[in-house]
Amino acid sequence: MVKWVVKKGKFYFPSKEMKKIAFVKNEKIYKEAGENPIKFWEKLAREGISWFKTWKKTYVEKPPYFKWFVGGKLNASYNCLDRHINTWRKNKIAIIWEPDIPNEKNRILSYYDLYREVNRFANALRELGVKKGDRVTIYLPMIPEIQISMLACARIGAIHSVVFSAFSPNALKTRILDAESKVLITADGYYRRGKLINLKQSADEAIEGTSIEKVVVVKRASNEINMKEGRDFWYDEIIKKSKNYCKPEIIDSEDVLFILYSSGTTGKPKAIVHTTGGYLVQAYWTAKWNFDLHDEDIFWCTSDLGWITGHTYVCYGPFLNGTTILMHESVPDYPQPDRWWEIIEKYGVTIFYTAPTAIRMLMKYGDEWVKKHDLSSLRILGSVGEPVDKDAWLWYFNVVGNGRCPIIDTWWQTETGGNLINALPGIGPFIPTVAGRAFPGTRASVLDEKGKPVKEGERGSLVLLPPFSPGMLRGLWKDEKRYIETYWSKYGNRIYYTGDGALIENGFIKITGREDDVLKVAGHRLANAEIEDAINRHKDVIESAVIGMPDPIKGEVPLALVILRKDVTPNEQLTNELIKLVEKEIGPIARPAKIIYVDDLPKTRSGKIMRRILKRLIKKEDLGDLSTLANPECVEKLKEILVSQNL
Ligand code: WT7
């Protein structure tokens, strides 16, 4: 079995074998790229992407706005498909799809299959009246039609907005209304743990009273659904009637490729805007270099397409590279805790990319489930979504990777479009709990409150510095004010504030977690305020505060502290009603793990709830100065309540 890493001193580094094949192996790349990042990205843009017309200006910055490859023309779907089908990759596998239920048949699509489907569906969307710049909402489970839909939109210049299929009808509705989408693409149903989920029913509920004119329904589960004449169309039927080729629309580098909703610090989710040229350049190169994607590889990124990780590493990044990807419809532990290991063995997956929450969950099931399988095909392991703790890192490294594979801990955000901080497989070092350094040609720093870089070992805020990498967000959909407030206020309009805390250890960046009011529940990003808003809708609730409570598997889970109307006595039914409300407004992922009823919450004199104090209370940290509170006396009482609840 090939060893892809060796230990040198305290850390792991790539082995000779890894160095031999890795695309990037010389440390100098950081320095060289750093000397002239714009020139560096320009070269990458030329080499990685096919342009119909080259750009006039490589980088233009008007803080806090910036553009890349200005005047360049291209098409995302052309880059992901057309340029492969004139090569031997025409018959290469693009997607291997594994269903929820193991004995159901898998699906295998070649690049040519994918190309055909995308062309036909693009024509079908045009027939339905979709034009360049129109928004199309995609509410699909993990089936290949989700990438087909995204690429079909990209082909005709429509802006896709993918909404995670486990989001509730209400959450979908809010996102449709905000984007003013004309068309919704969904499915009849899908399977999860052997159970049928009726997705179309949720979609029907969501589109009432929205701008949706047409609905395309992919047949996945053949469950009984309602089809509304004139509004709803079966995907299969419209595809059958469509022509084989759809000429790709000529797209400007700075035209919007997609919007993707993500949670911020207020109740309303924001749509992060990504444009075409820069995003694709970054998707191509970060996929290629961070995962060292070679033609022989099978790349499995376990993210749902509903998140940015799915967009960039289960669609655009690998397809731009002509990579074979694996996608799985469902969860890691159904029907047994070795489902994922079984899949890796079955197909000989070489690069595996998942989230710490999944690693911790699988770790809990025990090593036997892993050891039952031959995982010798693995070469690189990746992690994303939240800080990976040392135990999980070591288990992933030693048990899953058998001590042979580097772990690439990739830090990034929906906003950054692609991985930005990590170690490259051919360079290293691979250090537990440390992400690494900024991708070549990008700059990150850790600053103190005054904006000065922190010293080694000190905590600060993680920021990104200009020139901002090509794949970064270009704004928030229809919300300029929030864009400026969220990212460009803390340190001014030329320093991008990430919302994360970090420190420098041995010269490398270690991410410590969110420092704003954003939760990371099993890697999913949720706003404290979003959950509070849902709870506050209940007629008996006066006010609530939601904070993250440490959880051994999910990292953190929502804990809700709720103030009820004076005449109401809390009971189990009320608790259930509040939980149902959250599920209805957002989805099961946001369900509070615990609800505690309290009389008072710590507030500032202006009446703002101080979640920071609550967070410290739950983590049993020093509470700091309470004198700014309007009601410091409530803190002691809360402490007692938490103790009585074993928290
Ligand atoms: C937030 C972004 C883009 C990846 C999927 C999540 C946290 C992400 C890491 C990592 C520590 C990480 C940060 C970040 N995060 N990757 N490797 N180490 N923290 O995207 O939902 O936009 O969340 O996820 O807190 O700000 P997202």
Side-chain angles (χ1 to χ4, degrees):
M1 252 193 270
V2 190
K3 267 197 121 169
W4 301 107
V5 289
V6 282
K7 198 159 184 184
K8 276 194 212 150
K10 281 194 295 184
F11 306 143
Y12 289 94
F13 285 89
S15 66
K16 268 204 310 284
E17 288 80 1
M18 181 68 96
K19 284 260 182 205
K20 212 158 114 196
I21 59 168
F23 285 116
V24 189
K25 46 198 129 199
N26 195 331
E27 174 109 27
K28 272 200 234 144
I29 191 162
Y30 289 103
K31 199 167 161 277
E32 282 166 11
E35 275 161 13
N36 193 339
I38 297 172
K39 216 170 113 195
F40 174 78
W41 282 110
E42 186 169 40
K43 185 163 175 274
L44 295 191
R46 280 220 171 85
E47 284 174 15
I49 296 295
S50 306
W51 300 79
F52 298 141
K53 197 174 146 218
T54 44
W55 52 93
K56 291 205 178 74
K57 278 222 162 88
T58 310
Y59 181 69
V60 183
E61 201 186 322
K62 255 200 215 145
Y65 298 93
F66 48 89
K67 291 178 176 173
W68 280 91
F69 314 116
V70 181
K73 307 278 180 194
L74 74 168
N75 181 287
S77 116
Y78 179 91
N79 270 278
C80 289
L81 303 170
D82 302 47
R83 61 178 185 162
H84 302 312
I85 60 126
N86 296 317
T87 71
W88 68 270
R89 288 201 187 95
K90 177 180 178 187
N91 303 318
K92 185 178 169 177
I93 296 174
I95 303 178
I96 301 169
W97 177 82
E98 266 286 311
D100 175 55
I101 307 159
N103 52 12
E104 198 187 343
K105 212 179 141 12
N106 64 357
R107 288 172 65 186
I108 291 182
L109 280 82
S110 70
Y111 268 92
Y112 195 70
D113 293 332
L114 193 59
Y115 168 80
R116 253 295 171 268
E117 283 291 297
V118 168
N119 272 275
R120 297 180 82 135
F121 193 37
N123 279 326
L125 287 175
R126 271 202 182 135
E127 279 291 310
L128 291 176
V130 180
K131 288 195 268 317
K132 181 167 182 255
D134 287 347
R135 272 78 60 208
V136 172
T137 298
I138 300 174
Y139 187 56
L140 281 172
M142 285 291 279
I143 51 175
E145 283 72 17
I146 190 163
Q147 289 106 325
I148 292 167
S149 301
M150 291 162 73
L151 293 170
C153 287
R155 196 159 188 93
I156 60 174
I159 299 168
H160 60 69
S161 164
V162 182
V163 177
F164 180 42
S165 55
F167 270 133
S168 71
N170 275 10
L172 173 61
K173 184 185 210 120
T174 319
R175 287 157 177 78
I176 291 173
L177 285 172
D178 187 69
E180 299 168 277
S181 299
K182 268 189 174 171
V183 169
L184 176 74
I185 307 170
T186 188
D188 50 358
Y190 63 98
Y191 291 97
R192 198 179 157 82
R193 301 186 182 280
K195 205 181 124 220
L196 176 83
I197 315 271
N198 189 331
L199 192 66
K200 178 63 164 51
Q201 196 183 333
S202 301
D204 284 340
E205 234 179 272
I207 56 185
E208 277 307 310
T210 69
S211 47
I212 295 292
E213 294 163 11
K214 303 272 160 61
V215 179
V216 180
V217 186
V218 178
K219 190 172 264 174
R220 155 66 188 113
S222 300
N223 48 317
E224 191 124 345
I225 57 164
N226 282 327
M227 290 292 280
K228 193 168 163 186
E229 185 74 40
R231 185 195 71 182
D232 298 355
F233 300 84
W234 284 107
Y235 172 90
D236 280 347
E237 285 173 15
I238 56 173
I239 278 269
K240 234 185 273 159
K241 286 189 225 138
S242 294
K243 292 222 168 63
N244 276 341
Y245 181 69
C246 171
K247 195 163 177 282
E249 193 84 34
I250 311 277
I251 304 294
D252 195 272
S253 176
E254 283 295 334
D255 279 343
V256 179
L257 176 61
F258 64 84
I259 57 175
L260 182 57
Y261 286 86
S262 183
S263 296
T265 52
T266 65
K268 192 174 163 268
K270 54 194 180 189
I272 288 161
V273 175
H274 283 289
T275 56
T276 310
Y279 171 81
L280 292 179
V281 171
Q282 192 176 312
Y284 178 90
W285 289 101
T286 55
K288 190 180 182 97
W289 284 356
N290 290 332
F291 303 106
D292 199 45
L293 297 179
H294 289 262
D295 269 316
E296 300 75 15
D297 281 312
I298 295 185
F299 180 36
W300 184 11
C301 164
T302 64
S303 171
D304 193 283
L305 269 296
W307 312 112
I308 190 69
T309 312
H311 281 57
T312 311
Y313 301 109
V314 194
C315 185
Y316 292 108
F319 293 157
L320 287 167
N321 280 284
T323 305
T324 299
I325 63 156
L326 192 132
M327 71 189 286
H328 176 218
E329 184 178 28
S330 193
V331 295
D333 58 345
Y334 178 84
Q336 293 202 114
D338 61 344
R339 179 69 169 129
W340 278 6
W341 317 130
E342 173 192 271
I343 295 175
I344 292 176
E345 178 176 25
K346 178 171 170 189
Y347 296 103
V349 170
T350 56
I351 320 234
F352 181 65
Y353 186 32
T354 194
T357 182
I359 301 169
R360 288 190 297 259
M361 169 181 151
L362 292 164
M363 176 167 92
K364 230 183 99 193
Y365 285 119
D367 301 4
E368 320 80 74
W369 292 105
V370 189
K371 299 229 163 95
K372 267 172 66 180
H373 297 277
D374 168 14
L375 304 185
S376 59
S377 60
L378 289 172
R379 180 163 70 92
I380 295 169
L381 300 172
S383 168
V384 65
E386 52 175 317
V388 49
D389 52 280
K390 197 164 180 182
D391 283 353
W393 196 100
L394 288 173
W395 186 79
Y396 198 26
F397 182 83
N398 288 317
V399 180
V400 179
N402 199 5
R404 302 179 305 113
C405 307
I407 291 180
I408 314 296
D409 180 3
T410 62
W411 176 91
W412 58 302
Q413 316 177 294
T414 308
E415 290 87 343
T416 69
N419 301 157
L420 277 193
I421 301 173
N422 55 264
L424 291 168
I427 298 180
F430 315 110
I431 313 169
T433 77
V434 173
R437 20 184 176 190
F439 192 82
T442 65
R443 290 165 65 211
S445 184
V446 184
L447 304 181
D448 66 17
E449 281 305 305
K450 293 202 178 89
K452 286 225 173 61
V454 296
K455 289 195 206 82
E456 168 93 20
E458 276 172 23
R459 277 179 188 236
S461 299
L462 181 69
V463 299
L464 302 173
L465 303 171
F468 299 102
S469 66
M472 288 272 288
L473 83 165
R474 296 298 193 268
L476 297 178
W477 188 251
K478 297 191 306 192
D479 204 345
E480 191 173 355
K481 196 166 146 250
R482 194 168 175 194
Y483 171 71
I484 295 167
E485 272 169 16
T486 311
Y487 310 107
W488 309 100
S489 297
K490 183 158 184 182
Y491 295 111
N493 64 5
R494 288 202 76 206
I495 297 179
Y496 171 90
Y497 174 55
T498 63
D500 279 307
L503 50 87
I504 313 274
E505 219 175 76
N506 302 297
F508 299 101
I509 299 172
K510 177 183 165 101
I511 316 290
T512 53
R514 297 294 304 195
E515 39 177 41
D516 56 1
D517 286 327
V518 166
L519 294 168
K520 278 276 164 169
V521 180
H524 301 315
R525 181 163 155 184
L526 298 164
N528 305 55
E530 212 175 340
I531 306 175
E532 290 163 6
D533 283 358
I535 292 173
N536 295 349
R537 278 171 186 249
H538 196 283
K539 62 173 182 12
D540 294 342
V541 172
I542 303 243
E543 221 172 7
S544 65
V546 167
I547 51 167
M549 169 169 88
D551 179 89
I553 289 176
K554 293 183 173 174
E556 58 180 348
V557 288
L559 162 70
L561 303 172
V562 178
I563 305 180
L564 295 174
R565 271 188 12 224
K566 286 270 178 297
D567 55 334
V568 182
T569 353
N571 55 36
E572 207 177 314
Q573 192 197 331
L574 179 65
T575 301
N576 287 336
E577 281 171 20
L578 296 180
I579 289 172
K580 284 263 153 55
L581 251 177
V582 174
E583 289 184 349
K584 180 162 170 268
E585 291 301 320
I586 309 168
I589 54 171
R591 183 191 298 140
K594 202 167 177 66
I595 295 181
I596 298 177
Y597 299 97
V598 297
D599 294 327
D600 206 358
L601 288 163
K603 285 186 185 157
T604 60
R605 284 174 217 281
S606 58
K608 225 181 126 219
I609 297 173
M610 291 285 278
R611 292 198 197 94
R612 190 161 16 108
I613 308 248
L614 297 170
K615 270 193 244 173
R616 287 182 187 155
L617 264 177
I618 199 84
K619 287 192 182 149
K620 304 197 170 53
E621 289 171 358
D622 178 30
L623 296 179
D625 182 15
L626 298 179
S627 66
T628 53
L629 291 180
N631 54 348
E633 68 286 351
C634 82
V635 175
E636 271 311 308
K637 220 166 150 200
L638 279 173
K639 223 188 245 173
E640 278 166 31
I641 296 177
L642 292 178
V643 169
S644 73
Q645 298 276 339
N646 290 325
L647 294 173

Coordinates of all heavy atoms in Angstrom, one line a residue, residues 456-496:
E456 N 2.1 35.4 16.9 CA 2.0 34.0 17.0 C 1.3 33.6 18.3 O 1.7 34.0 19.4 CB 3.4 33.4 16.9 CG 3.6 32.0 17.2 CD 3.5 31.1 16.0 OE1 3.7 31.6 14.8 OE2 3.2 29.9 16.2
G457 N 0.2 32.7 18.2 CA -0.4 32.2 19.4 C -1.6 33.0 19.9 O -2.3 32.6 20.7
E458 N -1.7 34.3 19.5 CA -2.8 35.1 20.0 C -4.0 35.0 19.1 O -3.9 34.9 17.9 CB -2.3 36.6 20.0 CG -1.5 37.0 21.2 CD -0.9 38.4 21.0 OE1 -1.5 39.2 20.2 OE2 0.1 38.7 21.7
R459 N -5.1 35.1 19.7 CA -6.4 35.0 18.9 C -6.7 36.4 18.3 O -6.5 37.4 18.8 CB -7.5 34.6 19.8 CG -7.6 33.2 20.1 CD -8.8 32.9 21.0 NE -8.7 31.4 21.3 CZ -9.7 30.6 21.1 NH1 -10.9 31.0 20.6 NH2 -9.6 29.3 21.4
G460 N -7.4 36.3 17.2 CA -7.8 37.5 16.5 C -8.9 37.2 15.5 O -9.5 36.1 15.5
S461 N -9.2 38.1 14.6 CA -10.3 37.9 13.6 C -9.6 37.6 12.3 O -8.7 38.2 11.9 CB -11.1 39.1 13.4 OG -11.7 39.5 14.7
L462 N -10.2 36.6 11.6 CA -9.7 36.2 10.3 C -10.2 37.1 9.3 O -11.4 37.4 9.2 CB -10.1 34.8 10.0 CG -9.6 34.2 8.7 CD1 -8.1 33.9 8.7 CD2 -10.3 32.9 8.3
V463 N -9.3 37.7 8.5 CA -9.7 38.6 7.4 C -9.0 38.2 6.1 O -8.0 37.4 6.1 CB -9.3 40.1 7.7 CG1 -9.9 40.6 9.0 CG2 -7.7 40.2 7.8
L464 N -9.5 38.7 5.0 CA -8.9 38.5 3.7 C -8.5 39.9 3.1 O -9.2 40.9 3.4 CB -9.9 37.8 2.7 CG -10.4 36.4 3.2 CD1 -11.5 35.9 2.3 CD2 -9.2 35.4 3.3
L465 N -7.4 39.9 2.4 CA -6.8 41.2 2.0 C -6.8 41.2 0.4 O -6.7 40.2 -0.2 CB -5.4 41.3 2.5 CG -5.3 41.3 4.1 CD1 -3.9 41.2 4.5 CD2 -6.1 42.4 4.7
P466 N -6.8 42.4 -0.1 CA -6.8 42.6 -1.6 C -5.4 42.2 -2.2 O -4.4 42.3 -1.5 CB -7.1 44.0 -1.8 CG -6.7 44.7 -0.5 CD -6.8 43.7 0.6
P467 N -5.4 41.8 -3.4 CA -6.5 41.6 -4.3 C -7.3 40.4 -3.9 O -6.8 39.3 -3.7 CB -5.9 41.4 -5.7 CG -4.5 40.8 -5.4 CD -4.1 41.5 -4.1
F468 N -8.7 40.6 -3.8 CA -9.5 39.6 -3.3 C -9.6 38.5 -4.4 O -9.6 38.8 -5.6 CB -10.9 40.1 -3.0 CG -10.8 41.1 -1.9 CD1 -10.8 42.5 -2.2 CD2 -10.6 40.7 -0.6 CE1 -10.6 43.4 -1.2 CE2 -10.4 41.6 0.4 CZ -10.4 43.0 0.1
S469 N -9.6 37.2 -4.0 CA -9.5 36.1 -4.9 C -10.7 36.2 -5.9 O -11.8 36.6 -5.6 CB -9.4 34.8 -4.2 OG -10.6 34.5 -3.5
P470 N -10.5 35.7 -7.1 CA -11.5 35.8 -8.2 C -12.9 35.2 -7.9 O -13.9 35.7 -8.4 CB -10.9 35.1 -9.4 CG -9.4 34.9 -9.1 CD -9.3 35.0 -7.6
G471 N -12.9 34.2 -7.0 CA -14.2 33.5 -6.8 C -15.0 34.1 -5.7 O -16.1 33.6 -5.3
M472 N -14.5 35.2 -5.1 CA -15.2 35.8 -3.9 C -16.6 36.4 -4.4 O -16.8 36.8 -5.5 CB -14.4 37.0 -3.4 CG -13.2 36.6 -2.6 SD -13.6 36.2 -0.9 CE -13.8 37.9 -0.3
L473 N -17.5 36.5 -3.4 CA -18.8 37.1 -3.7 C -18.7 38.5 -4.3 O -17.7 39.2 -4.0 CB -19.7 37.1 -2.5 CG -19.5 38.2 -1.5 CD1 -20.7 38.3 -0.5 CD2 -18.2 38.2 -0.7
R474 N -19.6 38.8 -5.1 CA -19.7 40.2 -5.7 C -20.7 41.1 -5.0 O -20.9 42.2 -5.4 CB -19.9 40.1 -7.2 CG -18.9 39.4 -8.0 CD -17.5 40.1 -7.9 NE -16.6 39.6 -8.9 CZ -15.7 38.6 -8.7 NH1 -15.7 38.0 -7.5 NH2 -14.9 38.2 -9.7
G475 N -21.4 40.5 -4.1 CA -22.4 41.3 -3.4 C -23.5 40.4 -2.8 O -23.4 39.1 -2.8
L476 N -24.5 41.0 -2.2 CA -25.7 40.3 -1.7 C -26.8 40.7 -2.6 O -27.0 41.9 -2.9 CB -26.0 40.6 -0.3 CG -24.9 40.2 0.7 CD1 -25.3 40.6 2.1 CD2 -24.6 38.7 0.7
W477 N -27.6 39.7 -3.0 CA -28.7 40.0 -4.0 C -29.7 41.1 -3.4 O -30.2 40.9 -2.3 CB -29.5 38.7 -4.2 CG -30.5 38.7 -5.2 CD1 -31.9 38.7 -5.0 CD2 -30.4 38.7 -6.6 NE1 -32.5 38.7 -6.2 CE2 -31.6 38.7 -7.2 CE3 -29.2 38.8 -7.5 CZ2 -31.8 38.7 -8.6 CZ3 -29.4 38.8 -8.8 CH2 -30.7 38.8 -9.4
K478 N -29.7 42.2 -4.1 CA -30.6 43.3 -3.8 C -30.4 43.8 -2.3 O -31.4 44.3 -1.7 CB -32.1 42.8 -3.9 CG -32.5 42.4 -5.3 CD -34.0 42.3 -5.4 CE -34.6 41.3 -4.4 NZ -36.0 40.9 -4.7
D479 N -29.2 43.7 -1.8 CA -29.0 44.2 -0.5 C -27.6 44.7 -0.2 O -26.8 44.1 0.4 CB -29.3 43.1 0.6 CG -29.7 43.6 1.9 OD1 -29.4 44.8 2.2 OD2 -30.2 42.9 2.7
E480 N -27.4 45.9 -0.9 CA -26.1 46.5 -0.8 C -25.7 46.9 0.6 O -24.5 46.7 1.0 CB -26.1 47.7 -1.7 CG -24.7 48.3 -2.0 CD -24.8 49.4 -3.0 OE1 -25.9 49.6 -3.6 OE2 -23.8 50.1 -3.2
K481 N -26.6 47.4 1.3 CA -26.4 47.8 2.7 C -25.8 46.7 3.5 O -24.8 46.9 4.3 CB -27.7 48.4 3.2 CG -27.5 49.3 4.4 CD -28.7 50.1 4.8 CE -28.8 50.2 6.3 NZ -29.9 49.4 6.9
R482 N -26.5 45.6 3.4 CA -26.1 44.5 4.3 C -24.7 43.9 3.9 O -23.9 43.5 4.7 CB -27.1 43.4 4.2 CG -27.0 42.3 5.2 CD -28.2 41.4 5.2 NE -28.0 40.3 6.2 CZ -28.8 39.3 6.2 NH1 -29.8 39.1 5.4 NH2 -28.5 38.3 7.1
Y483 N -24.4 44.0 2.6 CA -23.1 43.6 2.1 C -22.0 44.4 2.7 O -21.0 43.9 3.3 CB -23.1 43.8 0.5 CG -21.7 43.6 -0.1 CD1 -21.1 42.4 -0.2 CD2 -21.1 44.7 -0.7 CE1 -19.9 42.2 -0.9 CE2 -19.8 44.6 -1.3 CZ -19.3 43.3 -1.4 OH -18.1 43.2 -2.1
I484 N -22.2 45.7 2.8 CA -21.2 46.6 3.3 C -21.1 46.4 4.8 O -20.0 46.3 5.4 CB -21.5 48.1 2.9 CG1 -21.4 48.2 1.4 CG2 -20.6 49.1 3.7 CD1 -21.9 49.5 0.8
E485 N -22.3 46.3 5.5 CA -22.3 46.2 6.9 C -21.6 44.9 7.4 O -20.9 44.9 8.4 CB -23.7 46.2 7.4 CG -24.3 47.5 7.7 CD -25.8 47.5 8.0 OE1 -26.3 46.4 8.2 OE2 -26.4 48.6 7.9
T486 N -21.9 43.8 6.7 CA -21.5 42.5 7.2 C -20.0 42.3 7.0 O -19.3 41.8 7.9 CB -22.2 41.4 6.4 OG1 -23.6 41.6 6.4 CG2 -21.9 40.0 7.0
Y487 N -19.5 42.7 5.8 CA -18.1 42.3 5.5 C -17.1 43.4 5.5 O -15.9 43.2 5.6 CB -18.1 41.6 4.1 CG -19.1 40.5 3.9 CD1 -20.2 40.7 3.1 CD2 -18.9 39.3 4.6 CE1 -21.1 39.7 2.9 CE2 -19.9 38.3 4.4 CZ -21.0 38.5 3.6 OH -21.9 37.6 3.4
W488 N -17.6 44.7 5.3 CA -16.7 45.7 5.1 C -16.8 46.9 6.1 O -16.4 48.0 5.8 CB -16.9 46.3 3.7 CG -16.9 45.3 2.6 CD1 -18.0 44.7 2.1 CD2 -15.7 44.6 2.1 NE1 -17.6 43.7 1.1 CE2 -16.2 43.7 1.1 CE3 -14.3 44.7 2.2 CZ2 -15.4 42.9 0.4 CZ3 -13.5 43.9 1.5 CH2 -14.0 43.0 0.6
S489 N -17.3 46.6 7.3 CA -17.4 47.6 8.3 C -16.4 47.5 9.4 O -15.9 48.5 9.9 CB -18.8 47.6 8.9 OG -19.7 47.9 7.8
K490 N -16.1 46.2 9.8 CA -15.3 46.1 11.0 C -13.9 46.7 10.8 O -13.4 47.3 11.6 CB -15.1 44.6 11.3 CG -14.3 44.3 12.6 CD -14.6 43.0 13.3 CE -13.7 43.0 14.5 NZ -13.8 41.8 15.3
Y491 N -13.3 46.4 9.6 CA -11.9 47.0 9.4 C -11.8 47.9 8.1 O -10.8 48.1 7.6 CB -11.0 45.8 9.2 CG -10.8 44.9 10.4 CD1 -11.3 43.6 10.5 CD2 -10.1 45.4 11.5 CE1 -11.1 42.8 11.6 CE2 -10.0 44.6 12.7 CZ -10.4 43.3 12.7 OH -10.3 42.6 13.8
G492 N -13.0 48.4 7.7 CA -12.9 49.3 6.5 C -13.2 48.5 5.2 O -13.3 47.3 5.2
N493 N -13.2 49.3 4.2 CA -13.7 48.7 2.9 C -12.7 48.0 2.0 O -12.9 47.6 0.9 CB -14.5 49.7 2.1 CG -13.6 50.9 1.6 OD1 -12.4 50.9 1.9 ND2 -14.2 51.9 1.0
R494 N -11.5 47.8 2.6 CA -10.5 47.0 1.8 C -10.0 45.8 2.6 O -9.0 45.2 2.2 CB -9.3 47.9 1.4 CG -9.7 48.9 0.3 CD -8.4 49.3 -0.5 NE -8.0 48.3 -1.4 CZ -6.7 48.2 -1.8 NH1 -5.8 49.0 -1.4 NH2 -6.3 47.3 -2.7
I495 N -10.7 45.6 3.7 CA -10.4 44.4 4.5 C -11.6 43.6 4.7 O -12.6 44.0 5.3 CB -9.7 44.7 5.8 CG1 -8.4 45.4 5.6 CG2 -9.5 43.4 6.7 CD1 -7.7 45.9 6.9
Y496 N -11.7 42.4 4.1 CA -12.9 41.5 4.2 C -12.9 40.8 5.5 O -12.0 40.0 5.8 CB -12.9 40.5 3.0 CG -14.0 39.5 3.1 CD1 -15.2 39.7 2.6 CD2 -13.7 38.3 3.8 CE1 -16.2 38.8 2.7 CE2 -14.7 37.3 3.9 CZ -16.0 37.6 3.3 OH -17.0 36.6 3.4

